[in-house]
Amino acid sequence: EAQVTQNPRYLITVTGKKLTVTCSQNMNHEYMSWYRQDPGLGLRQIYYSMNVEVTDKGDVPEGYKVSRKEKRNFPLILESPSPNQTSLYFCASSLDRGDNSPLHFGNGTRLTVT
Amino acid sequence: AQSVAQPEDQVNVAEGNPLTVKCTYSVSGNPYLFWYVQYPNRGLQFLLKYITGDNLVKGSYGFEAEFNKSQTSFHLKKPSALVSDSALYFCAVRGLGGNKLTFGTGTQLKVEL
């Protein structure tokens, strides 16, 4: 089944403890992206990647890192999480940068930072 | 900068009645427009898109959307709502040649018996 898989689904952590949220797609998509969803703010893009070893900042990149060493994987790294990073995170992918290709989303990771 | 406005946080409609979820956008040049739906505890799912051509676009689950260039709108419609249509709906826009897809804040659709 074609899908985007994120892990974990739920994560509770403490301020400053490094964490990684994994994202993997099995559709050979070139484009991958991370979003955070907050009430009243919709989805905001954190980082995106046009292809392997190519990553760029989105609207809200502060406090996050990403890497794209392989085409299928696009992990999101929080080096020193803070409470304002408590949010619902989505990974998404599309065949190309998305002019005509719709995004496929994972089921989300709900992160709580205390 | 491009932007999307969904002016209604929530839309309530009775089952069997037509529904409209509003979206207006701002972007340089010709827009690529999308609607996505989010069910509880799930990621967003693609519903339909407008790239070029006919202003009325048909999508999944009986939904359609009308592109209106003069009003910079892309309202989502369905002739007869179902209770199972209850979900959170997002409009999104990308400018021609752009890498960034900008989402609206979402509209909660509630369809009641």
Side-chain angles (χ1 to χ4, degrees):
Chain A
E1 180 188 354
Q3 59 185 358
V4 177
T5 303
Q6 292 178 232
N7 280 298
R9 288 295 305 274
Y10 301 92
L11 181 56
I12 300 173
T13 190
V14 296
T15 299
K17 186 176 181 181
K18 180 179 178 179
L19 66 90
T20 299
V21 183
T22 64
C23 173
S24 179
Q25 50 91 7
N26 62 0
M27 296 169 280
N28 202 36
H29 284 172
E30 290 190 353
Y31 181 92
M32 297 187 75
S33 183
W34 277 102
Y35 294 87
R36 60 178 289 175
Q37 182 180 8
D38 301 289
L41 296 176
L43 272 79
R44 293 179 292 168
Q45 190 177 48
I46 302 171
Y47 270 94
Y48 64 95
S49 171
M50 303 283 280
N51 213 326
V52 176
E53 302 292 0
V54 180
T55 62
D56 280 295
K57 296 177 180 179
D59 294 318
V60 289
E62 294 79 19
Y64 304 94
K65 285 175 58 178
V66 293
S67 69
R68 188 90 182 273
K69 293 184 171 61
E70 305 164 285
K71 198 170 188 178
R72 63 182 293 130
N73 296 323
F74 191 46
L76 179 69
I77 302 156
L78 284 70
E79 295 270 4
S80 182
S82 61
N84 65 11
Q85 293 179 298
T86 292
S87 187
L88 179 58
Y89 291 86
F90 288 101
C91 180
S93 71
S94 66
L95 188 60
D96 53 31
R97 70 180 177 188
D99 283 4
N100 290 317
S101 303
L103 287 167
H104 297 254
F105 283 83
N107 283 331
T109 296
R110 187 168 291 280
L111 172 65
T112 302
V113 184
T114 61
Chain B
Q2 60 193 43
S3 64
V4 176
Q6 293 182 244
E8 301 154 317
D9 290 335
Q10 181 160 321
V11 170
N12 297 322
V13 64
E15 188 174 54
N17 284 359
L19 69 87
T20 299
V21 181
K22 295 179 181 177
C23 171
T24 58
Y25 66 90
S26 173
V27 70
S28 297
N30 293 326
Y32 293 150
L33 293 155
F34 302 82
W35 275 102
Y36 288 84
V37 60
Q38 184 181 29
Y39 298 101
N41 299 315
R42 301 295 300 274
L44 280 70
Q45 297 175 30
F46 169 74
L47 268 182
L48 52 80
K49 66 182 178 184
Y50 171 82
I51 304 299
T52 187
D54 195 345
N55 289 342
L56 186 63
V57 179
K58 294 189 183 297
S60 307
Y61 313 122
F63 283 92
E64 57 191 27
E66 186 167 12
F67 171 64
N68 187 316
K69 188 172 184 177
S70 63
Q71 297 185 4
T72 61
S73 67
F74 191 56
H75 300 331
L76 181 70
K77 300 181 180 184
K78 188 174 183 182
S80 179
L82 299 172
V83 171
S84 57
D85 293 329
S86 299
L88 185 58
Y89 290 81
F90 288 95
C91 182
V93 67
R94 174 184 281 115
L96 179 64
N99 295 322
K100 180 180 167 183
L101 185 65
T102 299
F103 285 85
T105 53
T107 298
Q108 185 72 47
L109 174 66
K110 188 173 183 182
V111 182
E112 299 167 309
L113 290 169

